[in-house]
Amino acid sequence: TARSSERSLPDFQRILCLTSFGESSRMVLPYAAAVALKTDAELILLHLLGSGQESPNEQKAARSAAEAALDRLLQEVQALYPGVKAAARIGESGGEADRLARILDAGADMIAMGIGPLPDSLLIPSGGLPERIFRHARCSLLTANPEGASRRLERRYRKVFRRLTPEDLIRINDEQPELIGEDLFHGGPILRTSRLFLRNYSPAGLTKVFEEYGLFPRLREKGFADPRIAVQIDDDYRQRLRVFFGEEEDEDHLLLEMVLREGVLEGAREGGSSGRGPYFPVLAVEWITMQNPRASFSPERPPLPGQTYPGLGISREVLELIAMIGLRIRKDGIAIHPEYFHAALLYHPRFKCYNPVQEGQLTALIRDTGEHNLGDVSWAIHLDCLCGKNLSQRLPWAIDQQVLPLTDPLKAHFNSEHYRTLFREGLAGSRYRIDWRLFSERLRERTDPDRAKGRTDRSAGEKAPGGNNRDGSPPA
């Protein structure tokens, strides 16, 4: 089947991938590299310089910076796709017509490029070089647009964030904020922050948040007519928020549970030197559960490791809500420790491992297992059937923290040359495979207790460090 599928691919000889080093061109690059690897085509990374109206010194500096960035990008492509025939080129300065001519004259069988925001009704972007390529190219085109569903959700949540006021978040009912008296010096109200979730949200304020961000409307659409929030804030270090439906507050009526705490990440010193670096305050997600107690698993959708019930299908919205909470309480980022591989994969589009070497290893693991069923891979990793380099941890693939940066200082950590260099090293030095024979054996032992008798491996170890997990989708 694989050979037949490969024969059906076009006979590409050269794939031209345009890069501006921006988000959209970074999005299209992995797809272009994968096609090049499958078809044994040459992959050309092409960066076009500016219009040529800059001064000679500015042009020289721009070329030098572009050459360095293109070299780093080429190294990452070769590390991520071993065996791909890749090269890098820089197009000279010139007008848009000159740029178009260089692209069309490159003799490519496919042009890959990132494009800007597109209305849903349009098939091509209007204006600029991308439109000209669409109109004049006589080869296959591969495009990527960063303005997907996640970005639209982020923009919508940002609007709600700006609309909600602190007074909206501390109300004890629909009219009155949580107060304990008046400020004797300034005449204003004093807030009882110790009775607020993360010192910023009353239960009524949280209900308003879930309504305004659309979480409760989504739950009602799924048949949960009267969702309600319960919080535990007696522990200043770890605070718990749960959403139930119906009258009971138990496992069979639990829809959402999250345990959050405030934490700190230590950054590397500038230049990667030893010693203490800057500190980044973060909102840490210790536990998150999203589950649908009314749904059942099926042969087509069996449980993933850690699942008691199927997921709710609202993980993207919940993660974005947590990001808004982090912004509200002035944190640099959101930190989460995924217990299972499928959770790390779910977070990976927006969350990066704080440790750059682990980010390279996780990226390699995603690459090397991408052709297999996600459920099988996650169970195989959970049952210790993963083989490869850099697997000295007791939990073979374990990573420390995945982080969503919210502020420029923390974003600079992930964009630094020090981080990118260590990421490339972790990526290039990691190869993984699943031992499917061992997986089949251990899976049979799980379903047939008699087969498991006498085993001396980590029989107590279906429980990971940190206690029992009842995670739905996504577990963490």
Side-chain angles (χ1 to χ4, degrees):
T1 304
R3 288 193 297 270
S4 175
S5 175
E6 290 179 5
R7 283 200 303 268
S8 66
L9 290 171
D11 186 21
F12 291 149
Q13 300 297 317
R14 176 179 295 177
I15 297 175
L16 188 67
C17 185
L18 309 183
T19 178
S20 62
F21 310 120
E23 183 180 1
S24 60
S25 54
R26 277 194 171 274
M27 285 181 63
V28 78
L29 180 54
Y31 298 99
V35 174
L37 196 60
K38 287 288 186 181
T39 60
D40 198 32
E42 181 184 18
L43 177 66
I44 305 295
L45 308 181
L46 175 64
H47 175 73
L48 300 172
L49 294 175
S51 62
Q53 298 179 357
E54 302 86 355
S55 68
N57 287 338
E58 290 174 333
Q59 292 182 27
K60 183 177 180 180
R63 170 176 280 277
S64 177
E67 288 174 347
L70 204 55
D71 182 63
R72 291 192 296 269
L73 195 61
L74 181 61
Q75 291 181 46
E76 291 183 16
V77 169
Q78 292 171 333
L80 186 58
Y81 295 95
V84 68
K85 298 181 296 186
R89 294 180 185 174
I90 291 182
E92 298 297 330
S93 302
E96 194 166 280
D98 294 331
R99 294 180 171 198
L100 179 65
R102 293 191 192 98
I103 294 170
L104 299 181
D105 292 343
D109 301 300
M110 170 184 279
I111 298 174
M113 61 181 176
I115 56 177
L118 291 178
D120 292 337
S121 60
L122 295 182
L123 296 179
I124 60 172
S126 58
L129 186 61
E131 181 184 13
R132 291 173 178 262
I133 294 174
F134 268 94
R135 294 188 183 281
H136 297 286
R138 295 294 181 265
C139 63
S140 299
L141 298 176
L142 176 65
T143 63
N145 176 15
E147 289 293 319
S150 295
R151 185 57 59 85
R152 291 194 295 270
L153 179 71
E154 181 184 358
R155 288 204 309 269
R156 180 165 64 85
Y157 273 38
R158 293 273 180 159
K159 290 180 181 178
V160 176
F161 177 87
R162 291 190 291 268
R163 186 171 70 242
L164 291 174
T165 66
E167 290 74 21
D168 291 326
L169 307 180
I170 60 175
R171 297 185 181 279
I172 57 176
N173 52 45
D174 289 340
E175 299 178 356
Q176 183 180 2
E178 171 72 55
L179 307 176
I180 63 171
E182 293 187 355
D183 186 330
L184 298 179
F185 297 98
H186 301 93
I190 303 175
L191 307 181
R192 190 190 299 274
T193 57
S194 62
R195 295 179 57 184
L196 301 176
F197 182 74
L198 295 175
R199 300 189 299 278
N200 279 266
Y201 301 88
S202 67
L206 285 169
T207 298
K208 185 174 183 63
V209 164
F210 274 68
E211 293 286 0
E212 293 292 325
Y213 283 106
L215 271 299
F216 276 0
R218 284 290 308 275
L219 292 177
R220 293 189 188 101
E221 291 174 2
K222 294 178 179 292
F224 303 103
D226 190 24
R228 53 191 174 81
I229 290 175
V231 296
Q232 291 180 347
I233 57 176
D234 51 325
D235 186 343
D236 291 337
Y237 183 70
R238 300 169 72 251
Q239 301 198 348
R240 186 185 306 269
L241 182 152
R242 290 178 290 180
V243 176
F244 295 98
F245 72 98
E247 299 297 326
E248 303 295 329
E249 294 189 3
D250 57 23
E251 172 76 11
D252 295 333
H253 294 82
L254 178 67
L255 299 174
L256 168 65
E257 181 177 32
M258 63 176 76
V259 177
L260 307 177
R261 65 172 176 84
E262 297 177 72
V264 175
L265 296 174
E266 182 180 350
R269 290 177 62 86
E270 187 173 352
S273 59
S274 61
R276 292 187 179 275
Y279 290 93
F280 301 109
V282 296
L283 178 63
V285 182
E286 283 200 351
W287 176 291
I288 185 168
T289 301
M290 287 164 274
Q291 61 183 25
N292 185 348
R294 290 178 173 173
S296 300
F297 295 111
S298 67
E300 293 74 26
R301 295 196 63 181
L304 293 168
Q307 282 190 314
T308 303
Y309 295 105
L312 276 170
I314 59 171
S315 59
R316 191 162 50 194
E317 291 88 341
V318 171
L319 291 175
E320 195 62 49
L321 174 63
I322 294 174
M324 296 301 102
I325 293 175
L327 284 174
R328 182 69 65 182
I329 64 176
R330 296 180 175 86
K331 300 302 180 184
D332 284 325
I334 308 299
I336 196 164
H337 182 189
E339 184 177 351
Y340 301 109
F341 170 70
H342 59 271
L345 182 61
L346 176 68
Y347 305 141
H348 195 245
R350 296 191 63 195
F351 288 69
K352 301 296 182 186
C353 296
Y354 193 66
N355 182 323
V357 176
Q358 290 184 349
E359 176 66 17
Q361 293 172 348
L362 177 60
T363 303
L365 180 55
I366 295 171
R367 173 200 66 200
D368 295 343
T369 60
E371 294 186 355
H372 302 292
N373 176 272
L374 173 59
D376 291 342
V377 172
S378 192
W379 272 113
I381 292 173
H382 181 59
L383 296 176
D384 291 335
C385 302
L386 186 64
C387 305
K389 297 180 181 179
N390 299 325
L391 297 177
S392 59
Q393 303 96 330
R394 185 173 67 87
L395 294 177
W397 74 282
I399 55 179
D400 296 330
Q401 299 276 358
Q402 285 179 282
V403 176
L404 171 64
L406 301 175
T407 61
D408 289 339
L410 187 50
K411 290 177 182 178
H413 166 80
F414 295 100
N415 294 328
S416 68
E417 181 57 28
H418 176 67
Y419 184 96
R420 301 303 302 178
T421 298
L422 293 179
F423 161 76
R424 289 193 295 270
E425 292 175 359
L427 175 60
S430 300
R431 299 287 183 275
Y432 300 101
R433 66 178 180 83
I434 302 294
D435 186 336
W436 293 111
R437 181 198 58 76
L438 179 61
F439 171 62
S440 298
E441 178 182 326
R442 292 190 171 175
L443 199 61
R444 286 194 299 270
E445 290 174 350
R446 282 183 60 89
T447 57
D448 185 356
D450 291 336
R451 291 177 58 90
K453 288 181 180 179
R455 278 197 61 186
T456 58
D457 61 358
R458 58 185 190 97
S459 58
E462 293 305 328
K463 188 185 299 182
N468 292 315
N469 248 5
R470 298 179 284 101
D471 295 2
S473 174

